[in-house]
Amino acid sequence: MNKDFACSAPSSATKGRTSTDTFLRLSFEVCPPQKSRSLLPDNPARTRFAPSPTGYLHLGSLRTALFSYLLARATKGQFILRLEDTDQTRTVPGAEARLYEDIKWAGLHWDEGPEIGGPFGPYRQSDRTQIYQKHASDLRNSGHAYRCFCSKGRIESLSRYQHDNKLAVGYDRNCEGLSPEESYRRAAAGETHVIRLRSPNVAPVVEDMIFGKVQSGWENDKRKYNANVVWEDPVLLKSDGMPTYHLANVVDDHLMNITHVIRGSEWLPSTSRHVALYNAFGWEPPVFAHVGLLVDSEGQKLSKRNSGVDTDIKSYREKGYLPESLINFVSLLGWSHREKKDFMDMEKLVDVFGLKFTKGNTTVNFGKLAFLQKQHAAVRARKGGPPFDEMVDRVTQEVESTISPDSLNLFLNNRNLRDYVAQILRGNAKNYETPTDFVQRNYYFFKPLSETASFQLLVDDLSEDERRCILAASRLGDIPNDRWRPGYINDNIGKILDTLSNDFPMSSDESFTIDVADKRKKEWQKQFNLMLREMLTGGLPGPGLGETMAILGKDIVMQRLDKWIDVAMQTRDSNYDFDLPPLLSEYRQKQLEPAALADDDISVDQRRRNSQQEASEAHP
């Protein structure tokens, strides 16, 4: 190995790393970059994303696609989609269509590729077989590749021997010495064969934007197998005429003028092979950037099997995550930026994107996804339009599938369900994570509050100030129906707080000052708002109180408040009745009269209606 590229051996600090880390360290030697790699290229970049239909789009592959897309857009270049479908035996039915669907949903619109074509097509590798065969033949004719007629059984036997004897795995070049005439004759006779790269004696050095200078260690792994040397001679063309990943990848990237290749670090050990291929063809390699793997909190590669989490993009779509939220989340996995906030839409990501990535694996924290989802949902609610309508439709569907029609009818009061849901979302989009989660968090808008023993425990444990807050809330019933709107409701809450702070201002040992009065009012405000939310939502967070009450409607609000007010009225200390009238609504004040106290047959709702009717007649 060239001493200019020599790196120190792994230190004791590397002990205890994950198996993935260990694999990367043992597969190649890495030298740290000597300068910042964050600057964008001066010329437009041509990048590509090349998925295989042997599986579906997952978080790791979406991240690779996103970084390639951002680089192309940030440099005003082109983003190419290419389908690597040469492994027909492992192709999953429907995977190709799903890949296109998921990529489009994520907002990564390609400039060239399947469905739209382009000047360097075809963009499906199975349609490019003759191109690969021609280039494999070129390599063979130039002496950089050769036919291998070894049977599958011989290769398997060789591999078992090497494994059992703890030898380096590789090919022994059994067929490398065949004369061109014999090789041609056997191939012409139809004898099964593959084409292998005649690898150089020393692995080429790879310049990686993240890991710096990288050199595979195959020149250190040449061990004796009987009297033969083991070589790194990868298969380029399989016996069925189809290319391996190595050949197709290199040929396609060159012919499609790809300037930058961003992919997962699991491909880093193979990159020296690819550079060897570029050198054999006499081509200039693209710029490589290998991003670390995504791992869970235990350092294991993120997967359903290892981590118990879904990585399939479709699962996030079905759960109701927004594409801009997922893209924002994925962009932060291994990429560094200088913005003060992580919240960014696609336009912002393109504007600030740079080639500065974390060296090593990235631990995925899904709490960040929940945070970003709420931020992006709030933006949709504020802007309105089709993106917000889509959220409304998803939540409406969730409500219809989980809430009984009888329960909904109590709340809708002749309102349209979709309009009702839109109101709730506008008021509480900052707490939107998924449709299912949103409906569960905001259940008090769709069905009655749960009747539990906790209500009685709360009532029994009320302080005198809490009891006053409950009684003061009765004044909300005096708001005319035609003024039951957030602004007017909040104005009345302000008046209630004035009454509480003025009529029950302070303890006897406090001297009156403006600061003391302000402090007392803030204390009342905090206590009243907490008590009001407990009565209306069971203490659950949501929109502001005025907006919550406007959405619920006056009838539902007063039904919930009356349950508490009735108990507070029944358990009040009659010695302090002279203090209560300023707190109470008109119809509750009449309850203090002896005749009203004896009239148990008239419901609270009816008493309120009678009181409002009398007030209307007195003030026509």
Side-chain angles (χ1 to χ4, degrees):
M1 181 177 177
N2 189 323
K3 65 180 180 180
D4 292 338
F5 304 130
C7 305
S8 59
S11 68
S12 60
T14 64
K15 294 181 179 180
R17 290 181 181 268
T18 66
S19 57
T20 302
D21 255 347
T22 304
F23 170 73
L24 290 178
R25 287 219 162 227
L26 294 179
S27 297
F28 50 82
E29 298 182 40
V30 177
C31 299
Q34 301 302 309
K35 60 180 180 179
S36 172
R37 306 282 178 172
S38 62
L39 295 178
L40 294 175
D42 295 330
N43 298 318
R46 279 181 61 85
T47 64
R48 51 76 166 173
F49 176 55
S52 169
T54 55
Y56 301 116
L57 191 68
H58 53 79
L59 285 178
S61 53
L62 177 62
R63 179 184 62 156
T64 300
L66 175 62
F67 289 160
S68 301
Y69 177 86
L70 292 175
L71 177 56
R73 292 292 176 264
T75 59
K76 302 188 185 308
Q78 296 82 41
F79 173 65
I80 291 88
L81 179 64
R82 188 174 72 220
L83 192 71
E84 298 191 340
D85 62 342
T86 56
D87 192 348
Q88 298 289 318
T89 60
R90 296 177 56 230
T91 295
V92 176
E96 180 178 345
R98 260 264 302 272
L99 284 168
Y100 301 155
E101 186 180 345
D102 287 342
I103 295 170
K104 290 176 184 175
W105 173 82
L108 308 184
H109 303 291
W110 55 95
D111 302 298
E112 301 171 25
E115 301 187 338
I116 62 175
F120 300 97
Y123 294 90
R124 183 182 285 103
Q125 286 186 343
S126 58
D127 296 333
R128 299 170 60 85
T129 304
Q130 291 183 346
I131 297 174
Y132 308 130
Q133 292 174 348
K134 188 262 183 189
H135 281 82
S137 180
D138 290 345
L139 282 178
R140 187 172 50 77
N141 291 335
S142 68
H144 290 97
Y146 60 92
R147 294 189 184 99
C148 173
F149 296 91
C150 292
S151 67
K152 182 179 179 181
R154 183 183 186 280
I155 297 300
E156 290 177 348
S157 176
L158 175 63
S159 178
R160 280 198 303 272
Y161 181 90
Q162 292 167 343
H163 179 270
D164 292 345
N165 290 277
K166 298 181 180 180
L167 300 174
V169 177
Y171 182 56
D172 61 358
R173 285 193 173 178
N174 180 64
C175 296
E176 188 264 346
L178 295 176
S179 67
E181 294 77 17
E182 182 181 356
S183 175
Y184 174 79
R185 178 183 56 78
R186 292 173 67 174
E191 188 172 345
T192 300
H193 66 277
V194 299
I195 293 182
R196 291 182 179 272
L197 173 70
R198 181 178 279 109
S199 60
N201 291 339
V202 177
V205 173
V206 177
E207 277 282 358
D208 187 80
M209 296 195 72
I210 300 172
F211 287 89
K213 288 180 171 61
V214 177
Q215 189 173 32
S216 293
W218 78 52
E219 71 278 10
N220 298 322
D221 292 336
K222 292 171 185 171
R223 312 265 177 87
K224 293 290 184 179
Y225 169 67
N226 291 337
N228 300 320
V229 175
V230 174
W231 295 86
E232 177 78 14
D233 282 2
V235 173
L236 303 179
L237 207 63
K238 294 179 283 188
S239 59
D240 60 1
M242 296 296 287
T244 60
Y245 170 81
H246 307 296
L247 177 65
N249 176 277
V250 168
V251 170
D252 286 346
D253 282 348
H254 174 73
L255 295 183
M256 294 180 184
N257 293 333
I258 301 302
T259 62
H260 293 73
V261 172
I262 301 177
R263 58 189 180 188
S265 58
E266 67 268 27
W267 289 108
L268 192 50
S270 298
T271 306
S272 284
R273 294 182 183 180
H274 300 165
V275 173
L277 263 174
Y278 279 105
N279 293 342
F281 281 119
W283 298 338
E284 183 73 21
V287 176
F288 293 104
H290 289 84
V291 293
L293 301 178
L294 301 182
V295 298
D296 60 21
S297 59
E298 301 298 321
Q300 297 296 314
K301 184 177 179 181
L302 196 68
S303 69
K304 180 77 171 179
R305 181 178 60 184
N306 291 341
S307 314
V309 297
D310 285 322
T311 60
D312 187 345
I313 299 305
K314 186 179 180 181
S315 69
Y316 293 92
R317 292 174 55 192
E318 291 177 341
K319 290 175 183 176
Y321 284 97
L322 307 177
E324 59 267 35
S325 305
L326 193 61
I327 284 295
N328 192 172
F329 172 64
V330 168
S331 73
L332 304 173
L333 301 177
W335 171 61
S336 301
H337 64 84
R338 295 183 178 181
E339 298 301 298
K340 294 181 179 179
K341 297 181 179 179
D342 285 338
F343 172 73
M344 289 177 274
D345 59 15
M346 186 71 83
E347 183 178 357
K348 182 68 173 178
L349 287 170
V350 170
D351 185 53
V352 304
F353 184 73
L355 294 172
K356 186 176 182 181
F357 301 103
T358 301
K359 183 178 177 180
N361 297 336
T362 299
T363 302
V364 180
N365 173 17
F366 285 98
K368 191 71 171 183
L369 175 58
F371 168 78
L372 293 171
Q373 172 83 337
K374 295 171 184 178
Q375 300 291 308
H376 285 283
V379 170
R380 283 198 180 195
R382 186 171 67 251
K383 291 183 176 179
F388 177 65
D389 292 340
E390 181 185 348
M391 286 175 58
V392 174
D393 290 338
R394 291 293 300 269
V395 175
T396 300
Q397 292 168 9
E398 180 67 21
V399 171
E400 290 175 331
S401 66
T402 57
I403 308 296
S404 70
D406 290 342
S407 180
L408 284 177
N409 289 336
L410 294 174
F411 289 83
L412 293 179
N413 194 20
N414 297 321
R415 289 179 287 183
N416 176 271
L417 174 59
R418 195 180 180 285
D419 293 341
Y420 182 61
V421 167
Q423 271 189 292
I424 300 169
L425 270 171
R426 287 191 192 97
N428 201 27
K430 65 181 184 296
N431 287 318
Y432 177 88
E433 186 171 348
T434 67
T436 299
D437 175 78
F438 188 79
V439 173
Q440 291 174 349
R441 284 175 181 268
N442 294 275
Y443 85 93
Y444 51 84
F445 284 114
F446 305 108
K447 55 185 180 181
L449 293 178
S450 301
E451 292 288 348
T452 63
S454 60
F455 168 69
Q456 191 59 48
L457 291 174
L458 283 169
V459 170
D460 292 342
D461 200 35
L462 288 175
S463 68
E464 194 59 38
D465 282 349
E466 288 172 332
R467 199 177 304 277
R468 286 170 176 151
C469 288
I470 295 171
L471 295 173
S474 70
R475 288 173 53 179
L476 295 170
D478 290 340
I479 299 175
N481 293 342
D482 60 353
R483 294 190 177 182
W484 191 259
R485 297 185 296 274
Y488 198 81
I489 294 171
N490 285 330
D491 288 344
N492 277 264
I493 290 176
K495 294 176 183 178
I496 292 172
L497 291 173
D498 288 339
T499 300
L500 286 168
S501 58
N502 292 334
D503 289 19
F504 306 93
M506 59 199 74
S507 60
S508 57
D509 60 343
E510 288 181 305
S511 301
F512 179 82
T513 65
I514 293 178
D515 289 342
V516 169
D518 287 344
K519 176 184 174 183
R520 184 58 174 164
K521 186 171 184 178
K522 289 178 181 177
E523 290 173 350
W524 274 116
Q525 181 179 25
K526 179 180 179 180
Q527 196 162 46
F528 182 77
N529 288 347
L530 286 173
M531 204 68 236
L532 194 55
R533 188 166 290 280
E534 180 66 39
M535 293 187 284
L536 294 175
T537 72
L540 296 175
L545 287 169
E547 195 161 9
T548 296
M549 287 188 277
I551 295 171
L552 284 170
K554 185 176 179 180
D555 288 346
I556 294 292
V557 168
M558 296 315 300
Q559 285 174 20
R560 292 181 178 180
L561 294 183
D562 283 340
K563 182 178 72 171
W564 291 79
I565 296 169
D566 283 346
V567 173
M569 291 288 287
Q570 293 165 8
T571 59
R572 74 188 189 284
D573 188 339
S574 59
N575 293 326
Y576 297 96
D577 278 358
F578 63 88
D579 284 336
L580 297 183
L583 293 178
L584 300 176
S585 64
E586 293 184 12
Y587 80 89
R588 287 293 183 176
Q589 288 182 35
K590 292 187 176 182
Q591 282 188 272
L592 298 178
E593 301 172 5
L597 293 174
D599 191 2
D600 294 331
D601 296 330
I602 301 178
S603 68
V604 170
D605 283 346
Q606 186 60 50
R607 287 199 298 271
R608 187 190 305 112
R609 295 191 189 98
N610 293 344
S611 177
Q612 289 177 336
Q613 179 65 29
E614 293 172 5
S616 177
E617 292 172 354
H619 305 285

